[in-house]
Amino acid sequence: MSKKEKKETITKTKSPFKDKALLEKEIADFANKFKVTVVNQSKRISDYFEMSCFNYIVRFYQLHGYDVKVQNLQSKQYRYKCSTSGIQSNFSHFLATIKFEKKEYNFEIQHNLAVQSSHDKELFTTPDISIIKAGKVKTSTTYYDSNKRFSFANNIDVMSFCEVKQFNPFPELLFNFMGVVNELEKDIMINNAINHKPKHIAPSLMISGKPNKQTTRIKLSLEKRYCINIIYDLFYTGTYTFSKTNLSNLRTKGKLQ
């Protein structure tokens, strides 16, 4: 093998990137299962990865027995919300329904929805994916200096959230995620056994790239201390990670309020 071939092999093994065409096909195949088409709204590989991770979370709920349905199609197409701008009513989402102890529970899997802080009602941040009680997206015209509309969910209505990062993992990225966990789910910082039913995925950091020895050590330590998931190498192991076989390895939590 030539030096050039060796370099290409190493790059392919360690790169947090994946061919856009493969991600597009994965997203189209997922949409086909729900008999919908997807609005092609981005050329950025990071957006396609974020859409793919959103689909993995939908799959997680399916595997946990939820009935999931597409909601709010735009011109008969599924429209992902790949940025923090815009209001939720202009984008699609999924409804996840499950029966528990003879009662039906309905949740929404939302994309780039602002979430209220668990410390201060006047503060908000926007995780890439959030799971909220159905029908609880709110719109305000007083958040900004102008009358621009702002979509958000109150903290009490949020079941869990996920952050998506298209990087090879590094320590600061992992510790920054814990800052978001503290802001949105402060109880997790003091309670490592939030396992009520129905099940929800624990707050999760979903990363495209492969870990090294240092970031593997940090992942193990943080997951031991807190009810979270730090998930690596999703470009190449996403289908397995969110499969029925691996389901028990993903931490779960939930709230009934």
Side-chain angles (χ1 to χ4, degrees):
M1 184 181 290
S2 68
K3 289 184 179 180
K4 181 179 179 181
E5 289 173 328
K6 287 181 180 179
K7 183 177 180 180
E8 288 176 348
T9 300
I10 292 171
T11 300
K12 184 177 180 181
T13 301
K14 293 185 177 181
S15 174
F17 301 96
K18 187 176 183 179
D19 189 275
K20 187 179 76 173
L22 293 176
L23 283 173
E24 285 182 302
K25 183 177 184 305
E26 288 178 10
I27 293 163
D29 289 345
F30 179 83
N32 287 339
K33 293 179 182 178
F34 295 92
K35 299 181 180 179
V36 297
T37 56
V38 175
V39 178
N40 187 1
Q41 61 205 77
S42 178
K43 295 183 179 180
R44 297 189 305 171
I45 189 71
S46 58
D47 287 340
Y48 283 104
F49 177 57
E50 192 172 299
M51 288 184 259
S52 181
C53 287
F54 184 93
N55 296 345
Y56 288 142
I57 299 304
V58 173
R59 183 183 302 170
F60 171 91
Y61 280 86
Q62 284 181 300
L63 292 173
H64 270 293
Y66 285 78
D67 177 43
V68 298
K69 295 179 180 178
V70 172
Q71 301 286 295
N72 206 38
L73 293 178
Q74 304 292 308
S75 300
K76 299 182 179 181
Q77 292 182 300
Y78 192 95
R79 184 178 181 85
Y80 290 91
K81 187 171 185 275
C82 294
S83 75
T84 58
S85 62
I87 60 172
Q88 299 306 111
S89 59
N90 291 333
F91 300 89
S92 307
H93 63 271
F94 274 82
L95 177 69
T97 301
I98 195 169
K99 287 187 177 180
F100 175 67
E101 294 182 347
K102 299 181 180 181
K103 183 177 179 180
E104 183 175 277
Y105 292 89
N106 296 286
F107 305 99
E108 292 173 1
I109 305 171
Q110 290 279 356
H111 200 178
N112 278 304
L113 171 66
V115 172
Q116 184 184 54
S117 167
S118 59
H119 295 273
D120 186 331
K121 292 182 178 181
E122 299 299 317
L123 301 182
F124 296 84
T125 190
T126 306
D128 297 306
I129 303 164
S130 56
I131 299 89
I132 70 169
K133 295 176 184 177
K136 295 298 184 179
V137 173
K138 299 183 181 299
T139 303
S140 170
T141 57
T142 61
Y143 181 73
Y144 298 106
D145 291 335
S146 64
N147 289 327
K148 180 180 177 181
R149 289 186 293 173
F150 173 64
S151 292
F152 67 96
N154 287 327
N155 191 269
I156 195 172
D157 295 321
V158 178
M159 301 295 103
S160 192
F161 70 92
C162 305
E163 288 279 67
V164 177
K165 301 298 179 186
Q166 186 196 299
F167 298 115
N168 280 322
F170 54 94
E172 291 75 15
L173 176 66
L174 309 183
F175 295 128
N176 287 344
F177 171 66
M178 295 312 303
V180 181
V181 173
N182 175 58
E183 197 61 38
L184 296 185
E185 298 215 34
K186 62 183 180 182
D187 291 347
I188 282 181
M189 307 303 290
I190 57 175
N191 183 359
N192 195 26
I194 304 176
N195 291 306
H196 308 300
K197 294 182 180 180
K199 288 184 181 296
H200 290 282
I201 192 164
S204 300
L205 178 59
M206 306 172 74
I207 302 176
S208 63
K210 298 177 181 294
N212 56 24
K213 184 177 181 180
Q214 185 183 17
T215 51
T216 296
R217 184 185 297 119
I218 295 170
K219 164 186 163 72
L220 293 175
S221 178
L222 291 177
E223 288 184 337
K224 183 177 180 180
R225 283 182 268 164
Y226 307 111
C227 182
I228 61 168
N229 295 299
I230 296 176
I231 309 170
Y232 293 142
D233 199 21
L234 278 174
F235 266 158
Y236 298 101
T237 67
T239 300
Y240 172 75
T241 298
F242 289 91
S243 67
K244 189 173 183 179
T245 301
N246 191 61
L247 199 61
S248 62
N249 291 323
L250 295 172
R251 296 197 71 177
T252 59
K253 49 86 69 177
K255 300 177 185 177
L256 291 180
Q257 297 175 328

